[in-house]
Amino acid sequence: MTYKLRRAGASDMPAVYRMIAEGRESLAARGVDQWQTDAPGAREFARDCALSQLWVLTDESGAPCASAALCFGDDPSYRVITDGAWENPPPYAAIHRVAVAGRCRGRGVAGILFDRLCRIARDAGVPSVRVDTHENNRSMRRALEKSGFVYRGRVRTLQGRPRVAYEKSL
């Protein structure tokens, strides 16, 4: 199957919200308390879209299969890392709010999304990409590791939630 990565637009928001809802349900079914509040929500995605940092990966039909935010600049959540260290100093890009449509899970779509986002970051001249996830989100951790991301330690979100942190040198 051929996939295309493009910036998300307002017309993609219903599909992005569906992917987030499906992800929230999947995480809850696996006992992972990530995304079990209203965050991430419409406010975060509207901001990502307005800042042109929200991306969608589409299949041959043009339907969104996955989405994520690719953010450049300092991320306050990544300033303090414990039980490890970042390999590369700033600048870096960060991937946030990754979601894969239920119909596309198990097809390597997350890896394709990570690969394409890392290419964009590399082309922008940053030496690495950082990402974090819930410690018990095994599927995300597996996808990150298969895509060349390396566990670096622990961080906390702005809301104080603990997360495991990964980095990929470009």
Side-chain angles (χ1 to χ4, degrees), residues 41-121:
R43 186 180 70 211
E44 289 90 358
F45 292 105
R47 183 187 69 236
D48 288 340
C49 194
L51 294 172
S52 296
Q53 62 189 25
L54 184 61
W55 296 82
V56 292
L57 185 73
T58 60
D59 63 16
E60 292 169 341
S61 73
C65 289
S67 68
L70 180 64
C71 308
F72 292 88
D74 182 44
D75 187 321
S77 297
Y78 296 157
R79 289 180 188 155
V80 176
I81 185 166
T82 60
D83 300 327
W86 299 114
E87 180 178 357
N88 298 288
Y92 57 87
I95 297 174
H96 291 296
R97 295 174 282 288
V98 176
V100 175
R103 67 183 174 75
C104 298
R105 288 196 189 116
R107 298 184 191 171
V109 170
I112 294 166
L113 177 67
F114 295 146
D115 180 62
R116 305 266 174 96
L117 292 173
C118 285
R119 281 190 220 164
I120 292 167

Side-chain angles (χ1 to χ4, degrees), residues 2-26:
T2 303
Y3 296 96
K4 180 181 175 185
L5 184 68
R6 62 174 171 75
R7 289 191 198 284
S11 64
D12 294 307
M13 290 302 100
V16 170
Y17 297 149
R18 273 193 305 280
M19 286 188 279
I20 293 299
E22 290 172 354
R24 189 173 279 135
E25 290 170 11
S26 175

